[in-house]
Amino acid sequence: MGWIDWTIVLVMVAGVIAVTCYGKRYMRSVSDFLAADRMAGRYLLTVSSGFYGAISLVAMWEMTYSTGLPPNWWANLYLPLSLFLALTGFISYRLRQTRVLTLAQFFEERYSRRFRYFAGLLCWLSGMLNYGIFPLITARLIVHFIGWPATVELGGMQVSSYALVMLVYLGLAVFVACAGGQITIMLTDFLQGSFLMLIFVVITIFLFGRFEWSDIMYGLQQGVPEGQSMINPFGGSTTEEFNIWFFIIGLLGGIYSFRSWQGNSAYSASAKTPHEGVMAGVIASWRMLASSTCLLLIPLIAYAVLHSETYQALAEPIRASINALGDDQQLKNQMTVPLFLRNILPVGLTGLFAAVIIGSAISCDDTYLHSWGTILIQDVVIPWRNKPFEPRQHLLILRLSVVGMALFGFLFSLFFPLKGYITMFQVLTAAIYTGGAGAVIIGGLYWRRGTTAAAWTAMILGTIFTFGGLLIQQSWPWWVRTIFDENHLMPWYLLLAVTGITCAVAAIAGVLWWRRSLRGAAVCLFVAVVLAAGLFSVIYAQDSVLRFLRGNETVLGFFAAHRDKFPITSQWLNFWAMLMASGSYVVISLFSREKEFNLDKMLHRKQYAVASDQVLGDAPEAFSKSRFSLPRLLGITGEFSRFERLVFYASFAWTMGWWAIFMIGNCVNIFWPIGNEVWSVYWWVVIWLSALVGIICTIWIFCGGIRDSLYLFRDLRCQRVDTTDDGFVRSDNQEN
């Protein structure tokens, strides 16, 4: 990197620091620190809340480089789901109606205080483990993209460059998060997000100008095993993990676990009104077009360059850089695409992309540090303490918790040996919490019959299953060597029995301890035994096990075939956790005799409505007369203005248009298999159209975000400070 590149990076960092210093003056209370006093507009939420972190860039590139374009075809399965979630405000709208500052605060209002700090502790542990690998992956990306050595000499000692980079960028993230809490996080993330979207547009134009589409398609056909394809979705998956089942399970999980993951929890509470939160979700799909197109192109071109003789001269220095990383194959997989970029981007663009990486790192980590740090205090410490802190003391302990999370991430990243894909690790660590939380959230917001006992059971079962899966997956080679070797073979049925009984006993203990309900315990025993056995039904789907059942293979042969890798992917473990939690929540609730919960009071509806949360559009009467109409089916109500309805209709048309193409393509391929030439044209149209529309949307959303930032400053200046709005539930909730 030359001086021009470093100047670009330093200007971006200086801008982040300047905005942080300016924005912190508006932070006056705990609710300001936690949720910007619920004053954020739609564009500010849209630009800030869901931008790619540096680790997300690496994970996406790692997957796309291994699989090519087919996963993007099967991801179209999600389109109706994403449309439904965005247009209806599923979970988001009702969660904002509750006016809670954290998700676990909702758990206390809906269930009990004990359940709040149990769920809060579980959420924090899950998020802490999930975040633990972020700093090292990010530091690797920065070090290898910039071209620094793995170690540097300081005071006569060799010090890891990764550790130094982690200290610097985590220090910046902590500064942003602690200075003004959610206020400075939103403002700096908006600045970085807008800047990065514009950079992605520039890099997309450069890539299309540098590489011919036909050469890219030719390169994607090289080095691919027979019967597989990186272009044709029906040509066969190039990896076991990212096949069609990955996306089908993800489709179900998208509904089940929507809004349960709390990595950016403050944004769920920061919307000015529930309606603003819904509009932010709709606009978010347009915001991602330009960046998604660029991030998809980069690993595709990297694969083509490294596998096609057309780019042999360009590929040589890239291969040399990759080989210089040593024998760590996982590091090579993660750094292949960044090293490709470092070798092909010219001066200026290299600095711009370095700014992308560093900006993404800061904007992601400050959000995560703030979320997990505040969840520990708000949902574990305060409910356990059973009384609120004084405002100054409260702010101090929140900041100390953020610093503690950064210290944990630094130490965990240095010593934890990540195995497998980043995406798979994230799926499973998140499922430690979301495996049970999804049922608890949906049931609590939409079902009056949902009970506290059901919430406990669902959360316990989901956690046991997913956390146990994580431990087995990480230690699988040791278990195979220790237990299933030639000298000491544990019978298969004994393993099945031990696992089933363990799950059942743990679930029963949880119900008996907190509810002392024999009926609930009996149902829980039945659910635990039946569904724990479901884990092994997944194993039985493996070919080697089927051969064993037919008498063609021994138990020892099965474990020999899976000696180095657990035979069940993280996505399948997640699926069974969702099934166990949902089933137990419904069954326990139906067997309970508790009275129905007052949802109207919790959601501030009817006589409990809050005036500041009410919004009226320019034609509310048009939506109160007809019960069955397209606007009502799309989730459009009297709150929507004409422009907002236009955005809704455009989102519906864009999404369902691509989904119709997806369904037609699947049907056509059944009778007339589609060749690579047709798929090449299809992908060219998709990428170009998405890029062009994305450029227009980038400008539109950037202007709207500037307006929302100015409104945020105005509203925070005028807002009266409420010291009791600190997330502590001041009520006589029954302790269950």
Side-chain angles (χ1 to χ4, degrees):
M1 288 177 55
W3 68 269
I4 296 178
D5 300 317
W6 281 112
T7 300
I8 294 172
V9 172
L10 292 175
V11 168
M12 188 275 297
V13 173
V16 170
I17 295 174
V19 171
T20 301
C21 293
Y22 179 79
K24 70 177 183 179
R25 69 182 66 181
Y26 293 95
M27 203 281 295
R28 299 176 296 169
S29 66
V30 172
S31 62
D32 287 341
F33 188 90
L34 294 175
D37 208 18
R38 305 182 188 88
M39 291 293 175
R42 63 191 64 173
Y43 295 104
L44 191 57
L45 291 170
T46 298
V47 174
S48 305
S49 62
F51 201 79
Y52 293 105
I55 189 173
S56 301
L57 301 181
V58 177
M60 181 178 179
W61 289 339
E62 183 183 27
M63 183 183 75
T64 305
Y65 187 87
S66 302
T67 61
L69 287 162
N72 291 275
W73 173 262
W74 298 116
N76 287 323
L77 282 169
Y78 297 163
L79 290 178
L81 169 64
S82 62
L83 185 70
F84 164 77
L85 296 176
L87 298 188
T88 63
F90 179 67
I91 293 183
S92 302
Y93 191 90
R94 291 199 174 197
L95 193 60
R96 175 57 183 81
Q97 278 185 309
T98 63
R99 298 184 63 81
V100 297
L101 292 173
T102 63
L103 181 64
Q105 183 184 346
F106 153 69
F107 288 155
E108 179 176 354
E109 295 186 359
R110 180 62 176 84
Y111 300 110
S112 72
R113 178 164 294 174
R114 288 180 180 175
F115 183 73
R116 173 183 182 173
Y117 62 71
F118 170 75
L121 180 61
L122 203 60
C123 178
W124 176 72
L125 289 172
S126 174
M128 185 175 62
L129 289 174
N130 186 274
Y131 173 74
I133 65 171
F134 280 39
L136 181 59
I137 302 298
T138 301
R140 285 177 172 179
L141 177 59
I142 294 173
V143 167
H144 293 296
F145 182 80
I146 292 176
W148 285 339
T151 59
V152 295
E153 185 175 344
L154 288 178
M157 298 177 58
Q158 292 295 321
V159 181
S160 169
S161 297
Y162 301 150
L164 294 177
V165 170
M166 283 192 289
L167 285 175
V168 173
Y169 102 83
L170 282 174
L172 286 171
V174 168
F175 170 67
V176 173
C178 290
Q182 180 65 2
I183 295 173
T184 50
I185 288 174
M186 282 199 306
L187 292 172
T188 55
D189 285 3
F190 163 71
L191 171 68
Q192 295 170 99
S194 302
F195 182 54
L196 303 188
M197 285 193 295
L198 296 173
I199 294 175
F200 280 133
V201 170
V202 174
I203 292 177
T204 300
I205 295 173
F206 167 79
L207 292 174
F208 274 125
R210 177 75 184 273
F211 300 96
E212 293 290 338
W213 182 252
S214 58
D215 293 335
I216 298 173
M217 290 294 102
Y218 174 77
L220 290 176
Q221 299 177 58
Q222 309 306 307
V224 180
E226 186 178 354
Q228 300 176 357
S229 176
M230 297 188 72
I231 300 175
N232 187 343
F234 302 95
S237 174
T238 58
T239 65
E240 177 185 350
E241 290 88 350
F242 302 112
N243 53 28
I244 186 174
W245 289 108
F246 178 90
F247 295 98
I248 292 177
I249 296 173
L251 180 67
L252 300 175
I255 299 175
Y256 175 85
S257 59
F258 186 65
R259 289 296 184 186
S260 60
W261 185 242
Q262 297 299 292
N264 59 351
S265 60
Y267 285 102
S268 300
S270 298
K272 187 179 299 185
T273 65
H275 178 66
E276 286 292 296
V278 172
M279 288 306 303
V282 176
I283 298 172
S285 60
W286 298 102
R287 178 184 62 82
M288 301 296 291
L289 286 177
S291 56
S292 298
T293 301
C294 181
L295 294 176
L296 176 63
L297 269 178
I298 291 172
L300 295 178
I301 297 175
Y303 185 93
V305 168
L306 292 173
H307 290 81
S308 174
E309 62 272 14
T310 305
Y311 300 109
Q312 186 172 0
L314 182 59
E316 288 303 321
I318 302 174
R319 292 196 186 97
S321 299
I322 296 172
N323 293 331
L325 297 177
D327 299 327
D328 189 341
Q329 189 58 47
Q330 185 179 59
L331 177 62
K332 290 182 177 180
N333 292 340
Q334 294 172 0
M335 294 300 116
T336 295
V337 177
L339 291 176
F340 156 77
L341 281 173
R342 193 186 77 186
N343 282 272
I344 65 110
L345 291 179
V347 175
L349 279 185
T350 301
L352 286 175
F353 205 83
V356 167
I357 294 172
I358 297 173
S360 298
I362 297 172
S363 63
C364 175
D365 282 49
D366 60 19
T367 301
Y368 267 60
L369 291 174
H370 179 269
S371 294
W372 305 129
T374 56
I375 283 172
L376 174 63
I377 303 303
Q378 294 295 119
D379 300 326
V380 180
V381 175
I382 292 179
W384 177 77
R385 187 172 182 262
N386 205 25
K387 63 179 181 178
F389 289 103
E390 293 296 323
R392 284 192 176 184
Q393 186 184 20
H394 198 160
L395 289 172
L396 175 61
I397 197 172
L398 285 172
R399 289 184 168 115
L400 291 176
S401 182
V402 170
V403 174
M405 274 303 306
L407 179 61
F408 167 81
F410 175 79
L411 296 175
F412 188 87
S413 285
L414 287 180
F415 299 108
F416 178 77
L418 176 64
K419 298 180 181 180
Y421 288 104
I422 295 172
T423 303
M424 287 300 178
F425 178 82
Q426 290 179 314
V427 165
L428 195 52
T429 51
I432 293 173
Y433 172 69
T434 60
V440 176
I441 295 170
I442 296 174
L445 287 172
Y446 290 91
W447 196 26
R448 299 176 186 272
R449 291 284 302 276
T451 64
T452 303
W456 277 104
T457 307
M459 191 69 81
I460 290 172
L461 286 178
T463 300
I464 290 174
F465 201 89
T466 49
F467 187 66
L470 173 64
L471 295 179
I472 294 174
Q473 189 179 64
Q474 291 294 317
S475 60
W476 178 254
W478 180 86
W479 282 103
V480 172
R481 289 193 304 269
T482 303
I483 299 178
F484 300 100
D485 57 18
E486 296 178 357
N487 300 320
H488 184 201
L489 178 63
M490 179 183 288
W492 178 261
Y493 65 84
L494 181 58
L495 178 64
L496 173 62
V498 169
T499 304
I501 292 174
T502 300
C503 291
V505 170
I508 293 172
V511 174
L512 288 177
W513 184 26
W514 293 101
R515 290 294 299 163
R516 295 178 175 85
S517 170
L518 295 178
R519 178 177 297 179
V523 174
C524 186
L525 171 63
F526 172 78
V527 172
V529 171
V530 172
L531 294 180
L535 165 65
F536 297 93
S537 71
V538 179
I539 295 182
Y540 285 144
Q542 306 292 324
D543 291 339
S544 54
V545 178
L546 292 175
R547 290 195 299 270
F548 161 67
L549 293 177
R550 298 189 191 106
N552 298 330
E553 187 174 353
T554 63
V555 174
L556 188 60
F558 166 76
F559 286 101
H562 300 87
R563 179 174 296 275
D564 300 321
K565 187 177 181 181
F566 191 50
I568 307 176
T569 66
S570 302
Q571 196 76 324
W572 275 107
L573 288 172
N574 192 18
F575 169 76
W576 285 104
M578 292 188 293
L579 184 61
M580 292 173 66
S582 300
S584 61
Y585 186 92
V586 172
V587 172
I588 296 294
S589 295
L590 291 176
F591 274 77
S592 175
R593 296 179 179 177
E594 293 183 17
K595 64 179 182 179
E596 292 187 353
F597 186 80
N598 188 349
L599 283 180
D600 291 332
K601 182 177 181 180
M602 184 186 70
L603 298 176
H604 300 96
R605 299 186 305 194
K606 299 180 180 178
Q607 68 267 33
Y608 309 104
V610 177
S612 61
D613 284 351
Q614 309 306 307
V615 177
L616 289 178
D618 47 25
E621 68 282 351
F623 300 93
S624 59
K625 298 178 180 179
S626 60
R627 297 182 58 186
F628 301 101
S629 62
L630 179 61
R632 187 172 294 277
L633 291 175
L634 293 180
I636 298 176
T637 65
E639 295 177 309
F640 290 82
S641 66
R642 292 183 179 87
F643 177 74
E644 291 168 348
R645 294 197 294 272
L646 176 63
V647 173
F648 258 54
Y649 290 134
S651 299
F652 179 80
W654 175 269
T655 303
M656 296 309 295
W658 288 115
W659 190 71
I661 293 173
F662 168 71
M663 296 303 296
I664 293 171
N666 289 335
C667 295
V668 169
N669 193 78
I670 295 175
F671 303 101
W672 300 282
I674 304 173
N676 286 342
E677 296 79 9
V678 177
W679 284 113
S680 175
V681 174
Y682 168 78
W683 293 120
W684 184 87
V685 171
V686 169
I687 291 175
W688 263 108
L689 186 58
S690 298
L692 292 175
V693 176
I695 291 172
I696 298 172
C697 293
T698 295
I699 299 171
W700 160 45
I701 295 171
F702 174 75
C703 296
I706 293 292
R707 184 204 67 177
D708 282 352
S709 298
L710 298 176
Y711 286 169
L712 177 67
F713 294 143
R714 180 200 65 188
D715 294 339
L716 288 173
R717 279 197 302 267
C718 301
Q719 183 72 2
R720 182 178 62 86
V721 175
D722 182 4
T723 58
T724 64
D725 188 13
D726 56 3
F728 183 80
V729 179
R730 295 167 171 83
S731 65
D732 298 326
N733 284 10
Q734 181 182 1
E735 292 296 321
N736 289 317

